[in-house]
Amino acid sequence: MFKWLILLLITVPALEIWGIIAVGSWIGGWQTFLLIVLTGLIGAYLAKSEGRKVWEYAQQQMALGYSPTASLLDGIIVFAGGVFLLAPGFITDIVGLVLLLPFTRPVVKRWLYLWIERQIQKGRFLFFTRR
C-alpha cells in the first residue's frame, strides 16, 4: 500500500504538470490558467450543492430512524471529489467530476462499499469506538 502511495505522489503531479504544459501550448497560457481557475470554481460549487443534498438526505434517513450508511459513503465521495476538483490539473479534475456527478457517484459508491466489505472480511479494517 505504501509503495502505491509513493508511486501516486510522484506520477500524478508529473502527469498534471505535463498536461498543463500540453494544454497551455495548445490553447495558450492565459486560457489554460483561466480554465484551471474555472474548474476550481465549478468544483467548489458542485461540491457545495451535492454536499448539501447528501446532508439533507442523511438528515431525512436519521429522522426516519434509519442508519445513514449510504449517505456517509456519498459524503465521503463528494468530499473527495471536491478536493480533486480544487487541486490544479486536468487529470484530478476528471476524477473529481466522476466523483461529484450524481449519475456516476453510485458506481463509485458501490465499488467503495465492496472494497470496505472485502477489507472487513480480511480483517484489515479496524473500528475504533469511544465509550
Side-chain angles (χ1 to χ4, degrees):
M1 180 73 175
F2 185 69
K3 292 177 188 177
W4 287 107
L5 185 62
I6 294 296
L7 183 65
L8 282 174
L9 288 174
I10 293 171
T11 56
V12 170
L15 288 172
E16 292 287 10
I17 291 170
W18 175 79
I20 290 171
I21 291 171
V23 171
S25 67
W26 185 46
I27 65 172
W30 283 108
Q31 290 85 352
T32 303
F33 175 74
L34 291 174
L35 189 60
I36 290 171
V37 170
L38 182 66
T39 58
L41 292 173
I42 290 171
Y45 173 76
L46 269 175
K48 182 179 177 182
S49 66
E50 291 299 316
R52 183 176 293 128
K53 289 177 191 176
V54 168
W55 179 252
E56 289 171 359
Y57 184 66
Q59 286 180 329
Q60 289 174 354
Q61 285 180 322
M62 287 187 291
L64 294 173
Y66 298 119
S67 175
T69 308
S71 295
L72 289 175
L73 284 178
D74 268 334
I76 291 168
I77 294 169
V78 166
F79 177 75
V83 169
F84 276 117
L85 271 171
L86 289 175
F90 299 112
I91 297 169
T92 53
D93 288 345
I94 292 168
V95 172
L97 279 174
V98 168
L99 295 176
L100 275 178
L101 293 175
F103 51 88
T104 56
R105 194 177 332 126
V107 176
V108 177
K109 183 169 62 170
R110 181 72 179 145
W111 177 85
L112 181 62
Y113 179 78
L114 291 173
W115 180 80
I116 291 171
E117 196 174 59
R118 275 184 268 138
Q119 296 303 314
I120 291 171
Q121 288 173 355
K122 291 179 183 179
R124 295 182 183 168
F125 205 84
L126 300 175
F127 292 97
F128 295 99
T129 58
R130 282 179 83 171
R131 295 181 201 194

